Amino acid sequence: MIQGFAELSMYTAPERVAQASEAWLARIFEVLGAQRLHSALDLPELWLSNQLLLAQTCGYPLMTLLRGKVRLIGRPVYDLPNSADGLHCSLLLVRADDPRRSLEDFLGSHGLVNSEDSNSGMNLLRHTLAPLQQNGRFFSQVSLTGGHRHSLRWLKERRGDIAAIDSVTFDYLARDASEEVSGLRILTRTAHGPCLPFITALSVDVAQAEVIRHAMNQALSDLPDVAQALAISQVLAAHEDDYQILLDYERQAGEQGLPSLTF
């Protein structure tokens, strides 16, 4: 019997999404006739485990930390207000009562970043801010919050001025937990990038990865309520070339004088 680790821990809020992810995983394993192993590994260790069968990662680590070390399965198509066709973006959020109306107005402000290796919270934000940088800086201060929901809370608590929030995270919360985004507004949107990829261990061959992707789509078809809760219509085939644009954004930001948001 096929067996391996499986976690879908990139989107775990609100609770309906977490529950739907678990139901989706259970059905995927039933379709595969596989046994799910549970692990206490942290995410980087899980992603690199030889026993990994299925997980979701961020596109930026895929092209940096994980490049050549994992196998792509596919990428989801989210049917959400700020995602379509397997693409998503980041939403630059500020407090609703902040009088500043343009991104230029936030030059010299206090930026909130969920993680230095995040595509949505850092890389897409850096790319958006780069044309406006002065002397290699946009922010006068940057704080690392540890997560998008922390960034939202810090904004509301006036512990920072602006944050880039993954559009899927925002749309899930706006749909099911609107209190977490109340009092905030979208200032602007970043460029689009491919949605967060699903991966498996490099030891899983291409044909087996395709079997897993088909099982994921079969499970969505079998569980329409789960598909609706996740707002995922299908899992598209994906290739590393799809994610090259994220490194292009990194390069463009550097060429425009903003290689890093932190200093």
Side-chain angles (χ1 to χ4, degrees):
M1 175 183 285
I2 301 171
Q3 58 182 9
F5 299 140
E7 298 290 341
L8 294 177
S9 53
M10 298 303 287
Y11 298 112
T12 58
E15 183 60 27
R16 179 160 76 115
V17 170
Q19 292 174 354
S21 293
E22 283 301 306
W24 189 25
L25 276 176
R27 182 56 187 152
I28 291 166
F29 272 74
E30 288 176 357
V31 173
L32 291 171
Q35 178 185 3
R36 182 182 177 188
L37 304 176
H38 294 274
S39 108
L41 299 174
D42 62 24
L43 272 179
E45 291 174 328
L46 177 73
W47 292 335
L48 291 168
S49 171
N50 289 330
Q51 292 183 281
L52 178 65
L53 192 66
L54 173 60
Q56 190 173 28
T57 186
C58 179
Y60 189 66
L62 175 73
M63 299 300 288
T64 53
L65 172 70
L66 304 177
R67 193 168 192 176
K69 300 176 182 178
V70 298
R71 190 171 308 284
L72 267 170
I73 293 173
R75 57 187 171 114
V77 175
Y78 292 101
D79 295 328
L80 291 166
N82 294 288
S83 305
D85 302 322
L87 301 173
H88 73 142
C89 65
S90 292
L91 309 177
L92 272 59
L93 294 184
V94 300
R95 286 181 295 278
D97 63 1
D98 195 307
R100 292 169 284 191
R101 293 291 155 179
S102 71
L103 189 55
E104 291 86 346
D105 293 337
F106 284 83
L107 183 67
S109 65
H110 182 176
L112 299 175
V113 174
N114 62 323
S115 170
E116 288 185 285
D117 65 352
S118 170
N119 180 58
S120 55
M122 184 283 294
N123 190 44
L124 293 179
L125 175 62
R126 175 177 57 189
H127 175 259
T128 301
L129 299 179
L132 305 174
Q133 63 80 28
Q134 291 186 4
N135 300 316
R137 293 186 180 183
F138 181 88
F139 295 121
S140 63
Q141 182 180 353
V142 175
S143 295
L144 299 177
T145 67
H148 283 305
R149 295 173 76 197
H150 297 315
S151 296
L152 293 171
R153 189 177 70 250
W154 284 31
L155 270 179
K156 296 173 79 167
E157 294 173 351
R158 301 183 182 275
R159 297 169 66 185
D161 298 315
I162 187 170
I165 306 298
D166 175 277
S167 64
V168 175
T169 296
F170 178 87
D171 287 338
Y172 277 155
L173 294 173
R175 183 190 68 182
D176 292 348
S178 59
E179 69 280 359
E180 293 200 37
V181 297
S182 65
L184 303 176
R185 62 179 169 87
I186 299 171
L187 180 71
T188 190
R189 290 165 174 78
T190 69
H192 283 83
C195 289
L196 276 63
F198 297 111
I199 59 171
T200 188
L202 192 61
S203 57
V204 175
D205 65 32
V206 173
Q208 290 173 316
E210 186 65 1
V211 168
I212 297 171
R213 186 175 73 85
H214 282 299
M216 297 176 78
N217 283 320
Q218 180 63 53
L220 290 173
S221 178
D222 293 343
L223 302 172
D225 290 347
V226 165
Q228 182 180 40
L230 296 174
I232 296 177
S233 59
Q234 63 175 312
V235 178
L236 299 173
H239 307 280
E240 192 175 274
D241 288 349
D242 298 333
Y243 291 86
Q244 178 59 42
I245 192 170
L246 305 184
L247 297 186
D248 293 343
Y249 290 156
E250 175 184 56
R251 174 182 52 78
Q252 291 164 11
E255 290 173 350
Q256 292 176 308
L258 192 63
S260 175
L261 290 178
T262 56
F263 42 83

